[in-house]
Amino acid sequence: MNTDALDLMIIVPALLAGLLVLLTHVPLGAQVLRRGIVFIDLAIAQIAALGVIIAGVAELDPHSWTVQAAAATAAVLGAVLLTWTEKRWPDVQEAQIGVMFILAATAGLLLVAHNPHGGEHLQDLLAGQILWVRYDQLLLPGAGTLLICALLYRMGERLSRLGFYLVFALAVTASVQLVGVYLVFTSLIVPALAVRHYRPALRLWLAYAIGAAGYASGLVLSTLYDLPSGALIVWCLTLLAMLAYAAGPRAGVHSQPLRH
């Protein structure tokens, strides 16, 4: 362990990025569980990542708004397609989501096949580079997060099928570039799973607390032990969620879904 490596000035913007992700992903994750489409986040996140890869192939400035636009466009198109497939073949929607994830993932592999740095780029999109997030990178996602939170507060579970998919796509777009596909999935699903048997009044805030503690502990430990931040946050968040679930009430005691 290297205590000299613990630099809070590095951890703070990374933690803020994680908290921004959690603000939208915790309530969205609860809706994902309720709708029974658990792997939609992986599919939309992978499609958003494909948009980033396409922007790279087109040699767009990686720090410009055009990359965000490419990712958002890809995610929205994926959301529209998933809305159509759910309406036409609702009984196999989860399978269709899985197919879309595989197609987006393999399309990314094909696009970077001749790029000498393609493997590194793919790893960054999957595992993320949260520890190196800068304050200026949080401005646009922060504005988007406020808008999405306001919409979720006003509409919540009254969102239509298309509305839910579009909001979900926009939330995931910014998150993928901040924290990577793995943390997007973890932030959506793990806190919601941990608190599903708690009283409805506690679920949202407990889920936020689990997520924040997972990000904070993962960032600190990854800095101390020089380990990949994204992967360690996934493990810390999941372990904390398991503890919260084990300490909670028995299944069936409270059955109302988590609400924002």
Side-chain angles (χ1 to χ4, degrees):
M1 181 174 68
N2 184 9
T3 55
D4 294 334
L6 183 58
D7 188 346
L8 293 179
M9 298 307 294
I10 292 177
I11 292 175
V12 169
L15 181 58
L16 289 176
L19 295 178
L20 280 179
V21 170
L22 288 170
L23 278 175
T24 54
H25 285 39
V26 166
L28 285 172
Q31 288 206 41
V32 164
L33 288 183
R34 182 180 62 80
R35 292 167 183 259
I37 46 176
V38 173
F39 292 105
I40 183 179
D41 49 332
L42 276 177
I44 295 295
Q46 193 66 56
I47 292 169
L50 178 61
V52 176
I53 292 172
I54 292 172
V57 172
E59 298 183 350
L60 300 179
D61 182 359
H63 303 295
S64 71
W65 64 269
T66 53
V67 175
Q68 285 279 355
T73 300
V76 167
L77 290 174
V80 171
L81 180 57
L82 283 174
T83 303
W84 181 76
T85 59
E86 184 178 343
K87 184 177 180 180
R88 188 166 180 83
W89 302 290
D91 54 322
V92 290
Q93 178 68 351
E94 191 76 355
Q96 293 170 131
I97 290 172
V99 171
M100 189 172 292
F101 166 75
I102 291 298
L103 289 174
T106 51
L109 287 172
L110 292 172
L111 287 172
V112 302
H114 298 296
N115 184 339
H117 302 292
E120 180 181 345
H121 189 38
L122 282 176
Q123 182 178 344
D124 288 346
L125 286 172
L126 290 173
Q129 289 290 318
I130 185 172
L131 195 60
W132 307 115
V133 169
R134 304 185 309 273
Y135 286 109
D136 61 291
Q137 291 177 272
L138 302 177
L139 296 177
L140 187 58
T145 295
L146 291 177
L147 290 175
I148 292 170
C149 285
L151 181 60
L152 289 174
Y153 179 78
R154 290 183 61 85
M155 298 296 293
E157 295 179 11
R158 292 182 291 129
L159 282 170
S160 66
R161 179 190 297 111
L162 178 59
F164 172 74
Y165 279 138
L166 290 177
V167 169
F168 191 93
L170 294 175
V172 167
T173 295
S175 302
V176 164
Q177 297 180 70
L178 284 177
V179 302
V181 173
Y182 297 155
L183 271 175
V184 165
F185 181 83
T186 304
S187 301
L188 278 161
I189 300 303
V190 173
L193 278 175
V195 303
R196 69 189 189 278
H197 295 150
Y198 281 82
R199 288 191 294 113
L202 289 177
R203 290 180 191 168
L204 182 66
W205 303 110
L206 182 56
Y208 279 136
I210 292 168
Y215 271 90
S217 56
L219 286 168
V220 169
L221 291 174
S222 69
T223 304
L224 289 174
Y225 292 99
D226 193 24
L227 291 170
S229 300
L232 198 51
I233 293 170
V234 168
W235 275 89
C236 288
L237 206 160
T238 303
L239 290 173
L240 289 171
M242 291 170 64
L243 290 174
Y245 179 82
R250 297 187 304 275
V253 174
H254 305 289
S255 58
Q256 293 297 317
L258 173 65
R259 297 179 184 273
H260 189 266

